[in-house]
């Protein structure tokens, strides 16, 4: 059965890749025709709706058209091929079928992606680092790293985000792993300082790694938080990746001090000029090294970034996402195995990259067993935490729920400081949640989120009957 599945996946991936290669030499009309071909191949009704939605954007001449044509024309063929085959065909299409089968067989929800932090070592010491309180002496073995991916693929998961620490401290092992799991796709969060022309050439050769490079703004802001000279290394990394035909983007943490800068047209223009294909915005969460409630973006700044991210997607040729304000895209909180989970360098299975609590460790259980943990059950039984997905987070939007979940499950702090969220930071988080909640409720009631209220465009939250593929014409 596994051999047959591999053969089908290879055949479909090859067919889609050939179609994409042909379109890469064409124009917008060729791109529109490609969406029609892919609609006929897509296994699920909601996937065909996604493609029809994208085709509508292309027909209107939306900036997404320019982004798609950049992907087709500028990426190295190996990079473009792995993006299509591994991320879209293997994970989004065929992986969805396997994940649905796995849930029917076991009753266990298999997430869309897994975040793995194989190391917490880093060559920088950034102010407010979310991972800065972990012990850096511990390290995930290559064998466990490899085993996690094998177990995940058996569930239908082919998409992995690699975080840390600085993952490129273990670059040789990471590249070995990416070559071994040539059917998987890896996004990596990195400070970019260890990516030079030689590393970019290696990333082109493996093809299935997409760096998201951390920035704070321009040179002054980035160097102030990350260290003198870091910004210049970031720009060198982006240029090397662009010259090698790799896909990459920026990752920016929104704080009280840089929110207006990150929301500016000039900031986005700057990183578009550096060739970024995507941009991720993260709200600062008071965890890790020196957690500080006063570093959090104000409720008004967070609401401003929500509106700004929507505007970027409507008007600019880059895919931007805000992992708190984009709750409508995912139907609320993604954590606790519903859509993703985090495995830290010691093997602790955490519900979220920012929720440093666990009850299970993969040295003592399987990934499947961890997905059924009392911690994850406590989270999933409460999701969504409210009817407004603009308030998706159990840390900063519903901190009382985090306290309930930890108490109910007996979860322990994995970094030695996350328990502060439950105690000395609790009152401040409750006040923040109430203030932002007022703004979020107003936005949800008055702005046009009709697409989200109908179920959105993503896999989770689709009606159960749509887990059965419709017959193809």
């Amino acid at each position: 059965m596994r051999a047959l599945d591999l053969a089908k996946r290879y055949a479909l991936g090859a067919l889609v890749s050939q179609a994409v290669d042909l379109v890469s030499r064409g124009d917008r009309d060729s791109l529109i025709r490609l969406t029609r071909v892919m609609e006929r191949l897509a296994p699920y009704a909601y996937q065909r709706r996604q493609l029809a939605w994208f085709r509508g954007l292309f027909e209107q001449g939306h900036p997404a058209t320019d982004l798609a044509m950049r992907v087709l024309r500028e990426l190295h063929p190996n990079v473009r091929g792995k993006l299509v085959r591994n991320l879209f065909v293997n994970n989004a299409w065929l992986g969805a079928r396997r994940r649905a089968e796995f849930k029917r067989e076991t009753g266990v929800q298999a997430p869309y992606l897994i975040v793995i932090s194989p190391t917490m070592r880093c060559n920088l010491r950034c102010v407010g680092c979310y991972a800065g309180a972990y012990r850096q002496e511990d390290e995930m073995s290559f064998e466990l790293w490899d085993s996690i991916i094998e177990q995940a693929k058996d569930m239908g998961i082919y998409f992995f985000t690699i975080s840390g620490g600085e993952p490129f401290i273990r670059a040789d092992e990471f590249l070995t792993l990416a070559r071994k799991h040539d059917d998987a796709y890896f996004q990596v969060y990195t400070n970019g300082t260890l990516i030079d022309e030689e590393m970019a050439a290696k990333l082109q050769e493996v093809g299935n790694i997409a760096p998201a490079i951390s920035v704070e703004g321009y040179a002054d802001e980035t160097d102030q938080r990350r260290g003198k000279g870091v910004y210049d290394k970031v720009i060198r990394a982006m240029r090397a990746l662009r010259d090698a035909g790799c896909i990459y983007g920026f990752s920016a943490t929104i704080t009280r001090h840089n929110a207006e800068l990150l929301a500016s047209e000039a900031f986005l223009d700057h990183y578009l000029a550096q060739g970024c294909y995507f941009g991720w915005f993260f709200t600062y969460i008071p965890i890790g090294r020196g957690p500080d409630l006063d570093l959090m973006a104000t409720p008004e700044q967070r609401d401003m970034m929500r509106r700004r991210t929507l505007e970027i997607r409507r008007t600019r040729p880059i895919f931007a996402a805000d992992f708190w304000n984009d709750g409508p895209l995912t139907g609320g909180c993604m954590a606790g195995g519903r859509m993703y989970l985090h495995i830290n360098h010691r093997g602790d299975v955490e519900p979220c990259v920012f929720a440093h609590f666990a009850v299970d460790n993969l040295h003592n259980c399987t990934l499947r067993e961890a997905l059924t943990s009392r911690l994850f059950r406590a989270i999933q039984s409460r999701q969504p935490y409210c009817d407004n997905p603009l308030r998706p987070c159990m840390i900063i939007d519903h901190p009382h729920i985090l306290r309930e979940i930890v108490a109910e499950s007996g979860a322990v702090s994995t970094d030695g400081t996350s328990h502060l969220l439950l105690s000395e930071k609790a009152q401040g988080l409750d006040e923040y949640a109430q203030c932002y909640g007022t703004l979020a409720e107003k936005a949800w009631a008055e702005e046009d989120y009709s697409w989200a209220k109908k179920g959105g465009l993503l896999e989770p939250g689709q009606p159960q009957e749509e887990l059965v593929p419709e017959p193809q014409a």
Side-chain angles (χ1 to χ4, degrees):
M1 185 67 180
R2 182 70 183 271
L4 181 60
D5 179 63
L6 288 171
K8 288 180 178 179
R9 187 163 67 245
Y10 178 82
L12 181 57
L15 180 61
V16 173
S17 292
Q18 289 174 10
V20 168
D21 286 344
L22 290 172
V23 171
S24 68
R25 298 188 289 272
D27 54 14
R28 188 182 72 170
D29 290 339
S30 300
L31 183 62
I32 292 169
R33 286 194 293 272
L34 175 64
T35 62
R36 295 189 185 279
V37 171
M38 294 179 71
E39 274 186 77
R40 296 175 66 87
L41 297 173
Y44 291 98
Y46 74 84
Q47 294 165 342
R48 294 195 284 282
R49 284 202 303 276
Q50 290 172 352
L51 288 161
W53 181 73
F54 278 112
R55 185 174 69 253
L57 296 181
F58 300 153
E59 289 171 343
Q60 298 163 23
H62 187 279
T65 310
D66 297 330
L67 175 60
M69 295 309 298
R70 282 190 61 209
V71 168
L72 293 171
R73 292 173 175 170
E74 296 176 11
L75 293 184
H76 186 274
N78 187 46
V79 175
R80 184 179 64 231
K82 296 287 180 64
L83 175 70
V84 171
R85 289 193 300 273
N86 297 4
L87 184 58
F88 294 106
V89 175
N90 291 352
N91 196 68
W93 285 11
L94 300 181
R97 177 179 294 169
R98 174 58 191 146
R99 292 191 293 274
E101 291 173 351
F102 182 82
K103 186 171 184 179
R104 286 195 295 269
E105 292 167 1
T106 66
V108 176
Q109 175 72 44
Y112 185 83
L113 68 100
I114 292 177
V115 181
I116 306 171
S117 294
T119 183
M120 290 301 172
R121 287 186 293 138
C122 188
N123 58 327
L124 303 181
R125 191 172 175 82
C126 304
V127 176
C129 174
Y130 83 94
Y134 287 108
R135 283 172 49 90
Q136 295 195 8
E137 295 83 359
D138 301 317
E139 198 94 332
M140 180 181 289
S141 69
F142 180 86
E143 291 73 22
L144 179 57
W145 194 357
D146 180 48
S147 173
I148 292 168
I149 294 171
E150 288 287 1
Q151 292 179 66
K153 289 185 346 185
D154 188 57
M155 300 176 185
I157 305 163
Y158 289 83
F159 184 24
F160 303 91
T161 290
I162 308 301
S163 190
E166 172 48 55
F168 282 101
I169 281 179
R170 299 183 64 178
D172 290 343
E173 291 171 288
F174 184 18
L175 292 168
T176 297
L177 197 81
R179 292 186 183 99
K180 178 179 180 182
H181 297 283
D182 192 48
D183 53 353
Y185 201 79
F186 301 90
Q187 179 189 238
V188 55
Y189 286 108
T190 172
N191 59 43
T193 61
L194 302 180
I195 299 177
D196 56 13
E197 291 75 11
E198 181 181 357
M199 179 57 65
K202 292 178 180 179
L203 295 176
Q204 179 205 88
E205 179 262 322
V206 296
N208 57 347
I209 298 176
I213 302 176
S214 297
V215 299
E216 310 304 324
Y218 310 120
D220 288 346
E221 297 81 12
T222 299
D223 286 3
Q224 182 178 6
R225 185 183 184 206
R226 298 181 176 274
K228 186 174 177 59
V230 170
Y231 173 81
D232 289 340
K233 293 179 180 179
V234 165
I235 297 304
R236 177 185 178 182
M238 289 184 175
R239 290 174 178 168
L241 291 165
R242 179 176 58 192
D243 292 346
C246 295
I247 190 167
Y248 60 96
F250 69 80
S251 172
T253 300
I254 306 163
T255 72
R256 187 163 305 194
H257 306 303
N258 69 0
E260 283 73 22
L261 186 154
L262 296 182
S264 69
E265 292 286 345
F267 171 83
L268 194 66
D269 286 342
H270 179 72
Y271 286 101
L272 276 170
Q274 306 309 317
C276 290
Y277 293 85
F278 58 84
W280 306 146
F281 294 108
F282 290 90
T283 294
Y284 169 78
I285 302 293
I287 58 170
R289 181 179 297 128
D292 186 353
L293 289 170
D294 289 335
L295 273 179
M296 294 178 67
T298 66
E300 292 76 16
Q301 287 174 323
R302 180 176 167 190
D303 189 56
M304 177 265 295
M305 285 302 305
R306 174 190 63 81
R307 288 180 274 108
R308 175 60 176 146
T309 304
L310 291 171
E311 181 185 13
I312 290 171
R313 287 203 293 264
R314 286 194 299 265
T315 62
R316 308 305 294 274
I318 187 171
F319 183 76
D322 181 327
F323 286 89
W324 279 260
N325 292 325
D326 273 330
L329 280 175
T330 57
C333 176
M334 299 168 59
R338 174 179 169 263
M339 282 190 71
Y340 100 111
L341 57 89
H342 177 229
I343 302 168
N344 71 21
H345 60 310
R346 289 196 302 262
D348 297 320
V349 184
E350 302 174 341
C352 169
V353 171
F354 300 94
H356 300 170
F357 298 93
V359 298
D360 285 321
N361 184 287
L362 292 184
H363 288 101
N364 305 315
C365 70
T366 65
L367 179 59
R368 173 177 165 179
E369 289 168 341
L371 286 168
T372 66
S373 73
R374 58 186 183 274
L375 173 59
F376 283 18
R377 288 199 300 267
I379 293 171
Q380 291 184 20
S381 70
R382 290 168 169 82
Q383 290 171 328
Y385 309 126
C386 71
D387 294 332
N388 184 347
L390 293 175
R391 301 170 57 208
C393 181
M394 65 179 174
I395 303 175
I396 63 173
D397 293 320
H398 308 279
H400 67 287
I401 289 181
L402 175 63
R403 297 193 289 268
E404 292 174 3
I405 287 169
V406 171
E408 178 181 315
S409 65
V412 298
S413 172
T414 54
D415 71 350
T417 65
S418 57
H419 65 280
L420 297 176
L421 296 171
L422 316 177
S423 54
E424 67 179 57
K425 307 291 183 188
Q427 181 178 345
L429 289 172
D430 286 344
E431 293 171 356
Y432 177 93
Q434 182 176 2
C435 292
Y436 177 71
T438 300
L439 299 176
E441 290 302 325
K442 179 177 171 57
W444 186 245
E446 298 179 1
E447 298 184 26
D448 183 12
Y449 279 99
S450 57
W451 53 272
K453 294 173 183 178
K454 293 177 182 177
L457 293 169
L458 299 183
E459 175 186 339
Q462 297 298 329
Q464 285 297 308
E465 59 268 19
E466 292 196 6
L467 292 178
V468 180
E470 294 179 357
Q472 297 298 296

